[in-house]
Amino acid sequence: MSSRPLEATAPVVEVATAAATTDRGGGDAAARPRGQARTRVGRALVVAALCALTVVFVYPFLWLVSASFKPRTEVFDNKLIPETFTFQNYIDVWDRAPMLLWLGNTVLVTVLAAVAVTLSSSLVAWGFAYFRFPGRDGLFYLVLATMMLPGAVTMVPTFLIWNSLGQVNTLTPLWAGNLFGSAFYIFLLRQFFLGLPRQVFEAARIDGAGNWAIFWRIALPLTKPALVVTLLFEFQASWTDLMRPLIYLRDSDKFTIPRGLKALVDQFGFGGNWQWEILVTASVIVTVPMIIMFFLGQRHFIEGIATTGLKG
Protein backbone atom coordinates (compact mmCIF):
# COMPACT_ATOMS: atom_id res chain seq x y z
CA MET A 1 0.00 0.00 0.00
CA SER A 2 2.91 2.39 0.65
CA SER A 3 4.36 2.03 -2.84
CA ARG A 4 1.32 3.30 -4.72
CA PRO A 5 1.39 6.83 -3.26
CA LEU A 6 5.08 7.07 -4.15
CA GLU A 7 4.41 5.94 -7.71
CA ALA A 8 1.59 8.43 -7.98
CA THR A 9 3.75 11.19 -6.59
CA ALA A 10 6.69 10.67 -8.98
CA PRO A 11 4.97 12.07 -12.08
CA VAL A 12 3.90 15.12 -10.09
CA VAL A 13 7.50 15.79 -9.03
CA GLU A 14 8.75 15.42 -12.60
CA VAL A 15 6.11 17.83 -13.87
CA ALA A 16 6.99 20.37 -11.17
CA THR A 17 10.71 20.08 -11.96
CA ALA A 18 10.09 20.52 -15.68
CA ALA A 19 7.91 23.55 -15.01
CA ALA A 20 10.56 25.11 -12.80
CA THR A 21 13.21 24.48 -15.43
CA THR A 22 10.98 26.01 -18.09
CA ASP A 23 10.36 29.07 -15.94
CA ARG A 24 14.07 29.46 -15.25
CA GLY A 25 14.98 29.13 -18.91
CA GLY A 26 12.31 31.60 -19.83
CA GLY A 27 13.68 34.01 -17.25
CA ASP A 28 17.19 33.62 -18.64
CA ALA A 29 15.86 34.10 -22.14
CA ALA A 30 14.09 37.27 -21.05
CA ALA A 31 17.16 38.58 -19.22
CA ARG A 32 19.54 37.80 -22.08
CA PRO A 33 18.19 40.43 -24.52
CA ARG A 34 18.36 43.07 -21.78
CA GLY A 35 21.99 42.19 -21.04
CA GLN A 36 22.88 42.25 -24.72
CA ALA A 37 21.15 45.60 -25.13
CA ARG A 38 23.16 47.06 -22.24
CA THR A 39 26.37 45.68 -23.78
CA ARG A 40 25.57 47.26 -27.14
CA VAL A 41 24.81 50.60 -25.50
CA GLY A 42 28.09 50.45 -23.55
CA ARG A 43 30.08 49.67 -26.67
CA ALA A 44 28.35 52.46 -28.57
CA LEU A 45 29.23 54.93 -25.83
CA VAL A 46 32.86 53.80 -25.84
CA VAL A 47 33.07 54.12 -29.63
CA ALA A 48 31.46 57.56 -29.49
CA ALA A 49 33.92 58.70 -26.82
CA LEU A 50 36.88 57.38 -28.83
CA CYS A 51 35.62 59.13 -31.96
CA ALA A 52 35.27 62.40 -30.06
CA LEU A 53 38.80 62.12 -28.66
CA THR A 54 40.11 61.25 -32.11
CA VAL A 55 38.58 64.42 -33.54
CA VAL A 56 40.08 66.50 -30.72
CA PHE A 57 43.58 65.15 -31.35
CA VAL A 58 43.46 64.95 -35.15
CA TYR A 59 41.75 68.28 -35.90
CA PRO A 60 44.81 70.50 -35.22
CA PHE A 61 46.92 68.50 -37.66
CA LEU A 62 44.16 68.51 -40.27
CA TRP A 63 43.89 72.27 -39.85
CA LEU A 64 47.65 72.59 -40.27
CA VAL A 65 47.66 70.54 -43.47
CA SER A 66 44.71 72.49 -44.83
CA ALA A 67 46.33 75.84 -44.03
CA SER A 68 49.51 74.80 -45.84
CA PHE A 69 47.55 74.72 -49.11
CA LYS A 70 45.96 78.17 -48.64
CA PRO A 71 47.17 81.62 -49.68
CA ARG A 72 48.16 84.06 -46.97
CA THR A 73 44.77 85.79 -46.75
CA GLU A 74 42.93 82.50 -46.06
CA VAL A 75 45.25 80.79 -43.59
CA PHE A 76 43.11 81.59 -40.54
CA ASP A 77 39.65 81.17 -42.04
CA ASN A 78 39.16 77.89 -40.06
CA LYS A 79 37.98 75.96 -43.12
CA LEU A 80 39.33 72.46 -43.54
CA ILE A 81 38.68 72.54 -47.30
CA PRO A 82 40.58 75.48 -48.83
CA GLU A 83 38.62 77.78 -51.10
CA THR A 84 41.82 78.55 -53.01
CA PHE A 85 43.99 75.45 -53.30
CA THR A 86 47.69 76.12 -54.02
CA PHE A 87 51.02 74.25 -53.89
CA GLN A 88 53.00 77.48 -54.04
CA ASN A 89 53.63 77.44 -50.28
CA TYR A 90 55.63 74.22 -50.55
CA ILE A 91 57.72 75.75 -53.33
CA ASP A 92 58.29 78.97 -51.41
CA VAL A 93 59.36 77.29 -48.18
CA TRP A 94 62.15 75.40 -49.95
CA ASP A 95 63.26 78.61 -51.69
CA ARG A 96 63.29 80.83 -48.60
CA ALA A 97 64.86 78.42 -46.10
CA PRO A 98 67.50 75.64 -46.39
CA MET A 99 64.96 73.01 -45.34
CA LEU A 100 66.89 70.13 -46.91
CA LEU A 101 70.04 71.04 -44.97
CA TRP A 102 68.10 71.40 -41.73
CA LEU A 103 66.39 68.06 -42.32
CA GLY A 104 69.76 66.41 -42.91
CA ASN A 105 71.17 67.84 -39.68
CA THR A 106 68.10 66.74 -37.75
CA VAL A 107 68.16 63.21 -39.16
CA LEU A 108 71.85 62.86 -38.31
CA VAL A 109 71.43 64.12 -34.75
CA THR A 110 68.24 62.13 -34.16
CA VAL A 111 69.63 58.81 -35.39
CA LEU A 112 72.87 59.17 -33.44
CA ALA A 113 71.03 60.22 -30.28
CA ALA A 114 68.48 57.41 -30.49
CA VAL A 115 71.01 54.67 -31.20
CA ALA A 116 73.46 55.95 -28.58
CA VAL A 117 70.94 56.19 -25.76
CA THR A 118 69.37 52.83 -26.62
CA LEU A 119 72.66 50.93 -26.55
CA SER A 120 74.11 52.68 -23.50
CA SER A 121 70.90 52.48 -21.47
CA SER A 122 70.40 48.82 -22.34
CA LEU A 123 73.93 48.01 -21.16
CA VAL A 124 73.38 49.73 -17.81
CA ALA A 125 69.90 48.24 -17.43
CA TRP A 126 71.25 44.75 -18.16
CA GLY A 127 73.86 45.22 -15.45
CA PHE A 128 71.24 46.19 -12.89
CA ALA A 129 68.89 43.38 -13.91
CA TYR A 130 71.26 40.42 -14.33
CA PHE A 131 74.28 40.91 -12.09
CA ARG A 132 74.03 40.73 -8.32
CA PHE A 133 76.55 42.78 -6.37
CA PRO A 134 76.61 44.69 -3.06
CA GLY A 135 74.92 48.07 -3.25
CA ARG A 136 73.15 47.30 -6.52
CA ASP A 137 69.74 48.54 -5.37
CA GLY A 138 71.16 51.66 -3.76
CA LEU A 139 73.09 52.53 -6.92
CA PHE A 140 69.97 51.96 -9.00
CA TYR A 141 67.95 54.28 -6.76
CA LEU A 142 70.70 56.87 -7.13
CA VAL A 143 70.37 56.65 -10.90
CA LEU A 144 66.62 57.11 -10.64
CA ALA A 145 67.14 60.09 -8.33
CA THR A 146 68.86 61.95 -11.17
CA MET A 147 65.44 62.25 -12.84
CA MET A 148 64.49 64.61 -10.00
CA LEU A 149 67.03 67.18 -11.19
CA PRO A 150 65.52 69.86 -13.46
CA GLY A 151 67.32 70.38 -16.73
CA ALA A 152 68.07 74.00 -15.78
CA VAL A 153 70.29 72.81 -12.91
CA THR A 154 72.78 71.03 -15.20
CA MET A 155 72.41 73.34 -18.20
CA VAL A 156 75.25 75.74 -17.36
CA PRO A 157 77.79 73.10 -16.17
CA THR A 158 77.08 71.01 -19.27
CA PHE A 159 77.59 74.04 -21.51
CA LEU A 160 80.90 74.82 -19.82
CA ILE A 161 82.08 71.25 -20.40
CA TRP A 162 81.25 71.32 -24.10
CA ASN A 163 82.72 74.82 -24.43
CA SER A 164 86.00 73.67 -22.87
CA LEU A 165 86.07 70.82 -25.39
CA GLY A 166 85.55 73.28 -28.26
CA GLN A 167 82.25 71.72 -29.36
CA VAL A 168 80.00 74.77 -29.19
CA ASN A 169 78.41 75.55 -32.60
CA THR A 170 78.70 71.91 -33.59
CA LEU A 171 76.15 69.08 -33.63
CA THR A 172 78.10 66.98 -31.11
CA PRO A 173 76.49 68.35 -27.90
CA LEU A 174 73.05 67.52 -29.31
CA TRP A 175 73.63 63.76 -29.24
CA ALA A 176 76.92 62.78 -27.57
CA GLY A 177 75.49 63.14 -24.07
CA ASN A 178 73.30 60.12 -24.80
CA LEU A 179 76.39 57.91 -24.80
CA PHE A 180 76.09 57.92 -21.01
CA GLY A 181 72.53 56.62 -20.96
CA SER A 182 69.29 58.00 -19.59
CA ALA A 183 67.80 57.25 -16.17
CA PHE A 184 64.30 56.89 -17.57
CA TYR A 185 65.34 54.45 -20.31
CA ILE A 186 67.51 52.50 -17.87
CA PHE A 187 64.50 52.03 -15.63
CA LEU A 188 62.29 51.08 -18.59
CA LEU A 189 64.69 48.48 -19.98
CA ARG A 190 65.59 47.07 -16.56
CA GLN A 191 61.94 46.28 -15.91
CA PHE A 192 61.79 44.41 -19.20
CA PHE A 193 65.01 42.49 -18.51
CA LEU A 194 63.63 41.42 -15.13
CA GLY A 195 60.67 39.84 -16.89
CA LEU A 196 62.88 37.50 -18.92
CA PRO A 197 63.41 33.94 -17.59
CA ARG A 198 66.80 33.77 -15.92
CA GLN A 199 67.06 30.05 -16.74
CA VAL A 200 67.67 30.94 -20.39
CA PHE A 201 70.78 32.92 -19.50
CA GLU A 202 72.04 30.28 -17.09
CA ALA A 203 71.65 27.62 -19.79
CA ALA A 204 73.65 29.78 -22.20
CA ARG A 205 76.36 30.22 -19.59
CA ILE A 206 76.56 26.45 -19.11
CA ASP A 207 77.00 26.13 -22.88
CA GLY A 208 80.03 28.40 -22.63
CA ALA A 209 78.58 31.82 -23.53
CA GLY A 210 80.21 34.83 -21.91
CA ASN A 211 78.55 37.91 -20.47
CA TRP A 212 78.77 39.86 -23.72
CA ALA A 213 77.42 36.96 -25.80
CA ILE A 214 74.50 36.49 -23.40
CA PHE A 215 73.66 40.18 -23.58
CA TRP A 216 74.11 40.66 -27.34
CA ARG A 217 72.78 37.37 -28.70
CA ILE A 218 70.06 36.50 -26.19
CA ALA A 219 68.96 39.43 -24.01
CA LEU A 220 68.77 42.12 -26.70
CA PRO A 221 66.75 40.08 -29.24
CA LEU A 222 64.28 39.16 -26.50
CA THR A 223 63.81 42.83 -25.58
CA LYS A 224 63.08 44.07 -29.11
CA PRO A 225 59.70 45.69 -28.18
CA ALA A 226 61.30 47.65 -25.33
CA LEU A 227 64.18 48.72 -27.57
CA VAL A 228 61.72 49.98 -30.18
CA VAL A 229 59.90 51.98 -27.49
CA THR A 230 63.19 53.54 -26.41
CA LEU A 231 64.15 54.35 -30.00
CA LEU A 232 60.79 55.98 -30.73
CA PHE A 233 60.77 57.98 -27.51
CA GLU A 234 64.26 59.32 -28.09
CA PHE A 235 63.62 59.86 -31.80
CA GLN A 236 60.66 62.07 -30.94
CA ALA A 237 62.55 63.88 -28.18
CA SER A 238 65.58 64.63 -30.38
CA TRP A 239 63.50 65.51 -33.43
CA THR A 240 61.52 68.15 -31.52
CA ASP A 241 64.32 69.39 -29.23
CA LEU A 242 64.69 73.17 -29.37
CA MET A 243 66.51 74.04 -26.14
CA ARG A 244 69.90 72.51 -26.92
CA PRO A 245 70.06 73.85 -30.50
CA LEU A 246 69.25 77.31 -29.14
CA ILE A 247 72.13 77.03 -26.68
CA TYR A 248 74.83 75.45 -28.83
CA LEU A 249 74.14 76.38 -32.47
CA ARG A 250 75.07 79.73 -33.97
CA ASP A 251 75.37 79.28 -37.75
CA SER A 252 72.25 78.68 -39.83
CA ASP A 253 73.93 75.90 -41.82
CA LYS A 254 74.09 73.85 -38.63
CA PHE A 255 70.49 74.42 -37.56
CA THR A 256 68.20 71.53 -36.88
CA ILE A 257 64.53 71.63 -37.83
CA PRO A 258 63.24 73.06 -34.49
CA ARG A 259 65.97 75.72 -34.49
CA GLY A 260 65.21 76.49 -38.13
CA LEU A 261 61.50 76.86 -37.37
CA LYS A 262 62.40 79.31 -34.62
CA ALA A 263 64.38 81.29 -37.18
CA LEU A 264 61.41 81.21 -39.56
CA VAL A 265 59.09 82.46 -36.81
CA ASP A 266 61.47 85.35 -36.18
CA GLN A 267 61.64 86.11 -39.90
CA PHE A 268 58.09 85.47 -41.12
CA GLY A 269 56.02 85.47 -37.92
CA PHE A 270 56.08 87.71 -34.88
CA GLY A 271 58.39 90.60 -35.55
CA GLY A 272 58.60 89.66 -39.23
CA ASN A 273 56.37 90.18 -42.24
CA TRP A 274 53.61 87.80 -41.04
CA GLN A 275 53.91 85.16 -43.74
CA TRP A 276 52.14 82.48 -41.76
CA GLU A 277 51.59 80.26 -44.79
CA ILE A 278 55.36 79.65 -44.84
CA LEU A 279 55.36 78.67 -41.15
CA VAL A 280 52.45 76.24 -41.34
CA THR A 281 53.90 74.62 -44.46
CA ALA A 282 57.27 74.12 -42.76
CA SER A 283 55.47 72.69 -39.73
CA VAL A 284 53.74 70.09 -41.91
CA ILE A 285 57.07 69.07 -43.43
CA VAL A 286 58.53 68.64 -39.94
CA THR A 287 55.57 66.67 -38.55
CA VAL A 288 55.14 64.10 -41.33
CA PRO A 289 58.37 62.13 -40.59
CA MET A 290 57.28 61.59 -36.98
CA ILE A 291 53.91 60.22 -38.11
CA ILE A 292 55.66 57.85 -40.51
CA MET A 293 58.02 56.67 -37.75
CA PHE A 294 55.12 55.94 -35.42
CA PHE A 295 53.26 53.89 -38.00
CA LEU A 296 56.40 51.92 -38.86
CA GLY A 297 57.00 51.00 -35.23
CA GLN A 298 53.40 50.97 -34.03
CA ARG A 299 53.14 47.22 -33.44
CA HIS A 300 56.37 46.98 -31.48
CA PHE A 301 55.59 50.22 -29.67
CA ILE A 302 52.24 48.97 -28.36
CA GLU A 303 53.72 45.57 -27.49
CA GLY A 304 56.57 47.18 -25.57
CA ILE A 305 54.25 49.47 -23.61
CA ALA A 306 51.96 46.55 -22.77
CA THR A 307 54.71 44.22 -21.53
CA THR A 308 57.22 46.58 -19.93
CA GLY A 309 56.94 46.85 -16.18
CA LEU A 310 55.02 43.60 -15.58
CA LYS A 311 57.75 42.51 -13.19
CA GLY A 312 59.58 44.77 -10.80
Side-chain angles (χ1 to χ4, degrees):
M1 295 177 61
S2 60
S3 61
R4 292 181 179 177
L6 293 176
E7 293 176 357
T9 307
V12 177
V13 175
E14 293 177 359
V15 172
T17 304
T21 304
T22 303
D23 292 342
R24 191 181 302 115
D28 293 342
R32 193 177 300 114
R34 291 197 296 269
Q36 292 177 351
R38 285 195 295 268
T39 303
R40 293 193 190 96
V41 172
R43 290 179 180 176
L45 291 176
V46 171
V47 171
L50 292 176
C51 291
L53 290 175
T54 301
V55 171
V56 170
F57 284 102
V58 173
Y59 178 79
F61 180 70
L62 294 178
W63 182 93
L64 191 70
V65 173
S66 174
S68 67
F69 293 103
K70 298 177 182 179
R72 186 183 312 175
T73 56
E74 300 178 8
V75 169
F76 295 104
D77 61 4
N78 291 326
K79 295 180 180 179
L80 291 181
I81 300 178
E83 292 185 1
T84 305
F85 196 89
T86 177
F87 285 98
Q88 188 61 36
N89 296 336
Y90 286 90
I91 299 175
D92 292 342
V93 72
W94 292 100
D95 291 339
R96 302 189 184 187
M99 292 293 296
L100 188 61
L101 179 62
W102 293 349
L103 281 171
N105 293 338
T106 307
V107 170
L108 177 64
V109 169
T110 301
V111 171
L112 291 176
V115 173
V117 80
T118 300
L119 292 179
S120 59
S121 298
S122 61
L123 276 170
V124 178
W126 171 250
F128 281 124
Y130 180 74
F131 296 103
R132 297 171 180 172
F133 52 89
R136 181 187 68 169
D137 293 340
L139 185 59
F140 178 67
Y141 295 146
L142 183 62
V143 172
L144 293 184
T146 60
M147 291 193 296
M148 304 289 184
L149 294 174
V153 174
T154 58
M155 187 181 299
V156 173
T158 303
F159 176 82
L160 294 177
I161 292 173
W162 289 118
N163 188 45
S164 64
L165 295 175
Q167 297 301 313
V168 174
N169 199 29
T170 68
L171 298 177
T172 303
L174 306 186
W175 67 269
N178 287 355
L179 292 172
F180 303 97
S182 167
F184 173 73
Y185 298 135
I186 291 172
F187 169 76
L188 184 74
L189 293 169
R190 174 184 175 271
Q191 298 305 106
F192 202 98
F193 282 132
L194 288 175
L196 300 178
R198 192 176 182 87
Q199 293 82 358
V200 175
F201 309 128
E202 298 302 331
R205 183 172 295 279
I206 293 174
D207 290 338
N211 292 329
W212 177 255
I214 293 175
F215 168 73
W216 188 257
R217 297 181 181 179
I218 301 176
L220 277 188
L222 291 176
T223 57
K224 183 178 179 181
L227 295 177
V228 172
V229 171
T230 303
L231 278 171
L232 289 178
F233 277 179
E234 187 59 29
F235 192 95
Q236 186 272 337
S238 298
W239 187 270
T240 59
D241 182 28
L242 175 62
M243 183 61 67
R244 284 181 295 182
L246 277 174
I247 295 173
Y248 293 104
L249 301 182
R250 302 288 184 269
D251 299 334
S252 61
D253 60 341
K254 294 182 175 65
F255 282 178
T256 59
I257 283 294
R259 182 64 182 89
L261 286 180
K262 177 63 170 60
L264 290 180
V265 170
D266 295 337
Q267 181 179 358
F268 299 113
F270 296 105
N273 51 7
W274 303 94
Q275 297 184 22
W276 292 107
E277 73 281 3
I278 301 295
L279 297 179
V280 296
T281 304
S283 300
V284 172
I285 296 174
V286 173
T287 307
V288 168
M290 285 305 308
I291 297 176
I292 295 174
M293 279 295 299
F294 175 78
F295 279 108
L296 290 177
Q298 179 183 11
R299 181 172 62 86
H300 296 292
F301 178 80
I302 296 175
E303 182 181 352
I305 292 295
T307 56
T308 301
L310 293 180
K311 183 175 179 180

